[in-house]
Every structure is written in structure tokens, then in C-alpha cells.
Amino acid sequence: MSNVLIFFYRRLKNSSFNSSTRTLSKLQIRNYAKATSFPDYYQNPIFRKEDQVKLIADSDLKNRATVPVKPPTVSETSSVYFDPLVNKVINHVMEKGNKRLARQLVEKAFENIKRKQIERYHLASTPEEKAKIELNPKDILYKAVENCKPLLQLQPIKRGGITYQVPGPITEKRSLFLAIKWLLETTDEKERTVHFPEQFAWELLEASNNTGKVVKRKQDLHRQCEANRAYAHYRWQ
Amino acid sequence: MKQTKTFTETAIMVRQPALDIMDCIRASDMNKPVIRYVLYGEKGSGKSLTLAHLLHYALEEGYLILHVPWVSEWLRRTPRHKEMTNSQTKEGFVDLPLDAAEWLLHFKTQNQALLKNCELKISKDYEWSKREKTEAGSPIAALVEHGINRVKYACDVIDALLLEIKILSNSKQCKTFVAIDGFNSFYYPMTRLNTPTKKKIKPEEVTLTNSFLELTKNDWNNGVVVLTIDQLAVPDENQESFLPRYLLYKKGFEHLDPFVPIEVGRYTDKEFLSCANYYRDRLWLRGPSDLETELKFTSASNPYNFMLQCAPL
């Protein structure tokens, strides 16, 4: 456990202040809640070509070569297809371990996003409008998740028999988790005839525009936190 | 259909098999019996699009086009209940009236220009019932109209139409281009059709099969016949190989023998790069150019797989 914390700290030191790289670096650390078949001192695999190149450049290789390495999972490849956030979303969509189906659904959703955006691109008349339209579905996913992340959360704290909803800080990980969870929950509230990929594509497009149900949910949460500002001192009582 | 909307244009890649067939057609003698070309290849290698390219060529050259888009639609794709009737003119045969009428409409829209100039006339009388009769000397368009309006007689109309077209080709009044996609499902031992008494029907018992098999015999001249045989036209258990002898079974092979087999293969390197550039130009694919080497490997240069794998990128 301690080795993982040291690893974490070193990563935080080395990473820049850009929040997206911080999130990405956190995604690649697996802190298992239960005991796994690998002891704690095993280090996580570095499977991306650019990370490996950086490692050779920093000449950190000697330190790492002595410590044993966990194997990467089947989906962690060095191919152009791999993206840590997309992989995380696919994992959240997955049910009963059916990763193949989950991946197909998310890829279909990306295809739908791409078609809609290309349609809008061709309908736009001026080059300035065309430049504003984002065509890469992965960028839209990143933007949508960014827009849906809450900055505070409500914690139930019991004082004198009454449970107050107290606003408090939220970790990056939990914030990302809530964003993805809310996106998937709103896609589930769809009509019977509409398929998951289409609805998911709609939700992502609306979220990346800062409109839609998920962003509204985040803003409602922020409003609640603002309203319950008076109870904030209950965290330290 | 979605691809044409996304790319805002209908564009087909010009590939070697189509060019080969066009050269052969130009070099062949129209007075000899029809030459039958058979396009074969793996799943997704581009046979149907090659056929589309040849249809376009035929239209430009002024052929009368007889195009069957996908034979399995008639014999294998059965939504809930397929409209089937027992044929009245032939004993023990089964009709598919709605499909026949749909095909006649398709024929009419494809050959609008040629049917309008009214020089193609029928040679015989056809009596459909006591009051309905199509006289000798009336244009083919009238026969087609009758088939579309009276769905009951549509299959018989198709029989008559194909006979007349053969006679017209033989007498050099028009040159004909026959294009059939998924020809091997005519020869598969079973169809998915059942009579109301739950008896399974074989393809030979359907009138439409016999009409088109008559058409592909080489007893007429002044025309071209291009067929496609596809693994997708038969169910999964019989999809071991894509070669003609396996897919056509003995009967089909003997019926079509002699024919010109033309293989439609996967993309060559140059074709792959030009396809990838086209996708980039149409904004379908984006990213670093290393993507191409990786996609070439994962899709094995198969056109259909390449298209599917570019979708989420």
C-alpha cells in the first residue's frame, strides 16, 4: 500500500498543473480495494509508446528494471485506438463482463456523433462557423465529461437527530466517476424504441455544449451546495 | 444509405475487376451467345459495388438493364409473413406477387429512358383473364404497367417480359445487360419460405427462380450477363468457402458452365492509401498518419472491415 502512495506522490510531482493530465495519470493507477494476486510492490505497466520513450529519455529505466511489473489488461494496448478515458467509459457501460458489447455500443455512439457533426459541418455556411464545429468524437467526450464534473458534493452529517446535507470538497476521481455515472443514467431514461448508442450520442453532444439534462443536474447540485452554505461548519464540529 | 448522406456524394472507387469486365464487353462479339461473368470474392471485398460500377457503365452505353439487387430478399428474408400464393398458370409452383411487383417497378425506374421511346414491341398476345389482354405490337411499357397494377399476375408478367426481351435482343432491337447479385441463393437447397400447410419450399418451386434461370442461359445473343455469388446469401453453416464451385453446387455450376470467373480481391496498397485519403478528405477519418499502417493490419485491407473500423475514429 505504501509503495503505491510513494508512486502516486512521485507522479503528482512530475505532472504539470494541467488538470487533464492529472486525471489521466490517476486513471492509470490501479489501487485495488481487495487483495489481488499481485503484491503491493509490483509496479503498474507502462504500455504506451510515448511513455516508454519518455522513460528512456529520463533514464529512469534502471530504477524500474529491478522492480517487478504487473501485466497490462487486454484492452491496454499501445495502439492508436486506446484512450484511457474512453476505456473507463466502456468499463462503466459494461455489464456482467461483456466488454465486447460495451465497446461496440460506445463505438457506435462515436460513429453517430461523427455523422451528426459532419452533417452540421456541411450545413454551416461560413468558414468561421465550420471551424467552431468539433468533429473528433473523442474530443467531444472529453469536453462533455469536463462540463459534467461537479466541483462540490453534499455529505449527509447527523447532528442532534437531524441529517443535514453538508457541502464539502470532492476528489478528482469521485468527480469523474459522478460525471460518467450521470451521463449513463440519463441515457437510460430513454424511449423504448431509441437505441443506447443514439441516445448516448445525443447526451454527449448536449453536454459538450453545456446544455442538456446532465449539466442541469450538476448545476442543481451546485445550487443546493450554495443554499446549504450555512451548514458547512458541521464538517469540523 | 447513411454513408452517401455523410459523404454528401455517391462515389465508387474504380478498381481493376470492373475495368477488366468493361474491356471484355467492348471486345466481345455481340452476334455470339451471351457471355456470363461471375464475380466472386470474400465477404466485404467489393463485389456489389463493382456491379454498381458496371450498371453505371451499362446505363451510359444505352443497354436495357435487368437488375436484381439481392436475390436472398425474395428467398430468405421473411418478415413475419411473406405474401405467397400458389401459381395459377403453373402446377405446384409458388408465386411471390408483392416482390414481383416491386421488381417490375424497379425495372421501370431503371429503364425510364429506353421504355419511353416505345419502339420495343411485344410479339405475342398475352391473355390474363377473360377481360384483360395485352395485344401483340403494344410496347413493353404497357406490359410492365399491367404487372404493377395487377399484382396478381405480376409473376406471369415477369415470365412474359423476360421472354420478350430475349426475342428483342436476338432480333437486335435492343442490347441487354443482366445483373444479378447473390445468384447462388437460387441454388441453395432450402428457402425460408413455408406454405400455409408448413411445407418447406425449395427454390426450384418458386416461379421467380425459374424466370431468372431461363434468363441466364446462353441461348440468346446481343447482351451481357454479370452475376455475383456471395457467402452472405446462404446461412452460416454453408459459408466455408467463397469459391464458385462450392457456392453454386453442382446444378448451378453446370447451368452456368462455361462462364468467365473474375475475382474481386482486397485492397492493394495503392487502393488502400487512396481510400484512406478519400476518408480524410470527407472528414470521416482523422488523426496521425500512423493510423493507416495500424488500420491496414487490423482490417487486413478488406474494404468492408476498413470502413467499419474507421467509424469510431
Side-chain angles (χ1 to χ4, degrees), chain B residues 222-233:
Chain B
N222 206 15
V224 184
V225 175
V226 180
L227 310 170
T228 318
I229 47 179
D230 204 340
Q231 285 170 307
L232 294 170

mmCIF file with all atom_site columns, all heavy atoms in Angstrom, chain B residues 222-233:
data_model
loop_
_atom_site.group_PDB
_atom_site.id
_atom_site.type_symbol
_atom_site.label_atom_id
_atom_site.label_alt_id
_atom_site.label_comp_id
_atom_site.label_asym_id
_atom_site.label_entity_id
_atom_site.label_seq_id
_atom_site.pdbx_PDB_ins_code
_atom_site.Cartn_x
_atom_site.Cartn_y
_atom_site.Cartn_z
_atom_site.occupancy
_atom_site.B_iso_or_equiv
_atom_site.pdbx_formal_charge
_atom_site.auth_seq_id
_atom_site.auth_comp_id
_atom_site.auth_asym_id
_atom_site.auth_atom_id
_atom_site.pdbx_PDB_model_num
ATOM 1  N N   . ASN B 1 222 ? -26.564 -10.793 -78.179 1.00 0.00 ? 222 ASN B N   1
ATOM 2  C CA  . ASN B 1 222 ? -26.673 -9.332  -78.087 1.00 0.00 ? 222 ASN B CA  1
ATOM 3  C C   . ASN B 1 222 ? -26.915 -8.865  -76.653 1.00 0.00 ? 222 ASN B C   1
ATOM 4  O O   . ASN B 1 222 ? -27.782 -8.037  -76.384 1.00 0.00 ? 222 ASN B O   1
ATOM 5  C CB  . ASN B 1 222 ? -27.823 -8.842  -78.994 1.00 0.00 ? 222 ASN B CB  1
ATOM 6  C CG  . ASN B 1 222 ? -27.596 -7.408  -79.428 1.00 0.00 ? 222 ASN B CG  1
ATOM 7  O OD1 . ASN B 1 222 ? -26.493 -6.881  -79.301 1.00 0.00 ? 222 ASN B OD1 1
ATOM 8  N ND2 . ASN B 1 222 ? -28.634 -6.769  -79.928 1.00 0.00 ? 222 ASN B ND2 1
ATOM 9  N N   . GLY B 1 223 ? -26.150 -9.427  -75.728 1.00 0.00 ? 223 GLY B N   1
ATOM 10 C CA  . GLY B 1 223 ? -26.316 -8.989  -74.345 1.00 0.00 ? 223 GLY B CA  1
ATOM 11 C C   . GLY B 1 223 ? -25.127 -9.373  -73.486 1.00 0.00 ? 223 GLY B C   1
ATOM 12 O O   . GLY B 1 223 ? -24.181 -10.005 -73.947 1.00 0.00 ? 223 GLY B O   1
ATOM 13 N N   . VAL B 1 224 ? -25.170 -8.966  -72.218 1.00 0.00 ? 224 VAL B N   1
ATOM 14 C CA  . VAL B 1 224 ? -24.117 -9.290  -71.248 1.00 0.00 ? 224 VAL B CA  1
ATOM 15 C C   . VAL B 1 224 ? -24.807 -9.764  -69.976 1.00 0.00 ? 224 VAL B C   1
ATOM 16 O O   . VAL B 1 224 ? -25.825 -9.210  -69.576 1.00 0.00 ? 224 VAL B O   1
ATOM 17 C CB  . VAL B 1 224 ? -23.269 -8.046  -70.897 1.00 0.00 ? 224 VAL B CB  1
ATOM 18 C CG1 . VAL B 1 224 ? -22.141 -8.424  -69.972 1.00 0.00 ? 224 VAL B CG1 1
ATOM 19 C CG2 . VAL B 1 224 ? -22.750 -7.378  -72.144 1.00 0.00 ? 224 VAL B CG2 1
ATOM 20 N N   . VAL B 1 225 ? -24.251 -10.796 -69.355 1.00 0.00 ? 225 VAL B N   1
ATOM 21 C CA  . VAL B 1 225 ? -24.807 -11.264 -68.080 1.00 0.00 ? 225 VAL B CA  1
ATOM 22 C C   . VAL B 1 225 ? -23.701 -11.202 -67.025 1.00 0.00 ? 225 VAL B C   1
ATOM 23 O O   . VAL B 1 225 ? -22.649 -11.810 -67.196 1.00 0.00 ? 225 VAL B O   1
ATOM 24 C CB  . VAL B 1 225 ? -25.320 -12.722 -68.196 1.00 0.00 ? 225 VAL B CB  1
ATOM 25 C CG1 . VAL B 1 225 ? -25.779 -13.226 -66.850 1.00 0.00 ? 225 VAL B CG1 1
ATOM 26 C CG2 . VAL B 1 225 ? -26.456 -12.800 -69.199 1.00 0.00 ? 225 VAL B CG2 1
ATOM 27 N N   . VAL B 1 226 ? -23.913 -10.429 -65.952 1.00 0.00 ? 226 VAL B N   1
ATOM 28 C CA  . VAL B 1 226 ? -22.929 -10.369 -64.860 1.00 0.00 ? 226 VAL B CA  1
ATOM 29 C C   . VAL B 1 226 ? -23.602 -10.846 -63.583 1.00 0.00 ? 226 VAL B C   1
ATOM 30 O O   . VAL B 1 226 ? -24.647 -10.342 -63.203 1.00 0.00 ? 226 VAL B O   1
ATOM 31 C CB  . VAL B 1 226 ? -22.406 -8.934  -64.651 1.00 0.00 ? 226 VAL B CB  1
ATOM 32 C CG1 . VAL B 1 226 ? -21.391 -8.905  -63.531 1.00 0.00 ? 226 VAL B CG1 1
ATOM 33 C CG2 . VAL B 1 226 ? -21.794 -8.409  -65.922 1.00 0.00 ? 226 VAL B CG2 1
ATOM 34 N N   . LEU B 1 227 ? -23.011 -11.858 -62.962 1.00 0.00 ? 227 LEU B N   1
ATOM 35 C CA  . LEU B 1 227 ? -23.603 -12.408 -61.744 1.00 0.00 ? 227 LEU B CA  1
ATOM 36 C C   . LEU B 1 227 ? -22.635 -12.240 -60.580 1.00 0.00 ? 227 LEU B C   1
ATOM 37 O O   . LEU B 1 227 ? -21.429 -12.191 -60.781 1.00 0.00 ? 227 LEU B O   1
ATOM 38 C CB  . LEU B 1 227 ? -23.886 -13.903 -61.916 1.00 0.00 ? 227 LEU B CB  1
ATOM 39 C CG  . LEU B 1 227 ? -24.649 -14.303 -63.162 1.00 0.00 ? 227 LEU B CG  1
ATOM 40 C CD1 . LEU B 1 227 ? -24.622 -15.795 -63.302 1.00 0.00 ? 227 LEU B CD1 1
ATOM 41 C CD2 . LEU B 1 227 ? -26.073 -13.808 -63.098 1.00 0.00 ? 227 LEU B CD2 1
ATOM 42 N N   . THR B 1 228 ? -23.180 -12.182 -59.377 1.00 0.00 ? 228 THR B N   1
ATOM 43 C CA  . THR B 1 228 ? -22.330 -12.147 -58.193 1.00 0.00 ? 228 THR B CA  1
ATOM 44 C C   . THR B 1 228 ? -22.704 -13.333 -57.330 1.00 0.00 ? 228 THR B C   1
ATOM 45 O O   . THR B 1 228 ? -23.879 -13.613 -57.145 1.00 0.00 ? 228 THR B O   1
ATOM 46 C CB  . THR B 1 228 ? -22.600 -10.870 -57.373 1.00 0.00 ? 228 THR B CB  1
ATOM 47 O OG1 . THR B 1 228 ? -22.741 -9.793  -58.245 1.00 0.00 ? 228 THR B OG1 1
ATOM 48 C CG2 . THR B 1 228 ? -21.498 -10.613 -56.408 1.00 0.00 ? 228 THR B CG2 1
ATOM 49 N N   . ILE B 1 229 ? -21.695 -14.034 -56.830 1.00 0.00 ? 229 ILE B N   1
ATOM 50 C CA  . ILE B 1 229 ? -22.031 -15.080 -55.869 1.00 0.00 ? 229 ILE B CA  1
ATOM 51 C C   . ILE B 1 229 ? -21.406 -14.700 -54.529 1.00 0.00 ? 229 ILE B C   1
ATOM 52 O O   . ILE B 1 229 ? -20.273 -14.259 -54.469 1.00 0.00 ? 229 ILE B O   1
ATOM 53 C CB  . ILE B 1 229 ? -21.558 -16.473 -56.309 1.00 0.00 ? 229 ILE B CB  1
ATOM 54 C CG1 . ILE B 1 229 ? -20.126 -16.441 -56.784 1.00 0.00 ? 229 ILE B CG1 1
ATOM 55 C CG2 . ILE B 1 229 ? -22.452 -17.005 -57.379 1.00 0.00 ? 229 ILE B CG2 1
ATOM 56 C CD1 . ILE B 1 229 ? -19.666 -17.805 -57.184 1.00 0.00 ? 229 ILE B CD1 1
ATOM 57 N N   . ASP B 1 230 ? -22.185 -14.837 -53.470 1.00 0.00 ? 230 ASP B N   1
ATOM 58 C CA  . ASP B 1 230 ? -21.792 -14.280 -52.192 1.00 0.00 ? 230 ASP B CA  1
ATOM 59 C C   . ASP B 1 230 ? -22.030 -15.277 -51.068 1.00 0.00 ? 230 ASP B C   1
ATOM 60 O O   . ASP B 1 230 ? -23.031 -15.973 -51.068 1.00 0.00 ? 230 ASP B O   1
ATOM 61 C CB  . ASP B 1 230 ? -22.628 -13.022 -51.943 1.00 0.00 ? 230 ASP B CB  1
ATOM 62 C CG  . ASP B 1 230 ? -21.940 -12.084 -51.002 1.00 0.00 ? 230 ASP B CG  1
ATOM 63 O OD1 . ASP B 1 230 ? -21.051 -12.546 -50.263 1.00 0.00 ? 230 ASP B OD1 1
ATOM 64 O OD2 . ASP B 1 230 ? -22.286 -10.902 -51.009 1.00 0.00 ? 230 ASP B OD2 1
ATOM 65 N N   . GLN B 1 231 ? -21.105 -15.295 -50.127 1.00 0.00 ? 231 GLN B N   1
ATOM 66 C CA  . GLN B 1 231 ? -21.293 -16.177 -48.980 1.00 0.00 ? 231 GLN B CA  1
ATOM 67 C C   . GLN B 1 231 ? -22.463 -15.740 -48.128 1.00 0.00 ? 231 GLN B C   1
ATOM 68 O O   . GLN B 1 231 ? -23.089 -16.540 -47.461 1.00 0.00 ? 231 GLN B O   1
ATOM 69 C CB  . GLN B 1 231 ? -20.053 -16.137 -48.083 1.00 0.00 ? 231 GLN B CB  1
ATOM 70 C CG  . GLN B 1 231 ? -18.884 -16.882 -48.617 1.00 0.00 ? 231 GLN B CG  1
ATOM 71 C CD  . GLN B 1 231 ? -17.659 -16.570 -47.789 1.00 0.00 ? 231 GLN B CD  1
ATOM 72 O OE1 . GLN B 1 231 ? -17.323 -15.424 -47.592 1.00 0.00 ? 231 GLN B OE1 1
ATOM 73 N NE2 . GLN B 1 231 ? -17.019 -17.585 -47.296 1.00 0.00 ? 231 GLN B NE2 1
ATOM 74 N N   . LEU B 1 232 ? -22.754 -14.430 -48.137 1.00 0.00 ? 232 LEU B N   1
ATOM 75 C CA  . LEU B 1 232 ? -23.809 -13.922 -47.260 1.00 0.00 ? 232 LEU B CA  1
ATOM 76 C C   . LEU B 1 232 ? -25.191 -14.347 -47.721 1.00 0.00 ? 232 LEU B C   1
ATOM 77 O O   . LEU B 1 232 ? -26.160 -14.180 -47.004 1.00 0.00 ? 232 LEU B O   1
ATOM 78 C CB  . LEU B 1 232 ? -23.750 -12.398 -47.200 1.00 0.00 ? 232 LEU B CB  1
ATOM 79 C CG  . LEU B 1 232 ? -22.509 -11.831 -46.545 1.00 0.00 ? 232 LEU B CG  1
ATOM 80 C CD1 . LEU B 1 232 ? -22.457 -10.339 -46.757 1.00 0.00 ? 232 LEU B CD1 1
ATOM 81 C CD2 . LEU B 1 232 ? -22.514 -12.125 -45.065 1.00 0.00 ? 232 LEU B CD2 1
ATOM 82 N N   . ALA B 1 233 ? -25.294 -14.882 -48.974 1.00 0.00 ? 233 ALA B N   1
ATOM 83 C CA  . ALA B 1 233 ? -26.605 -15.253 -49.482 1.00 0.00 ? 233 ALA B CA  1
ATOM 84 C C   . ALA B 1 233 ? -27.102 -16.567 -48.895 1.00 0.00 ? 233 ALA B C   1
ATOM 85 O O   . ALA B 1 233 ? -28.242 -16.934 -49.083 1.00 0.00 ? 233 ALA B O   1
ATOM 86 C CB  . ALA B 1 233 ? -26.555 -15.357 -51.007 1.00 0.00 ? 233 ALA B CB  1
#
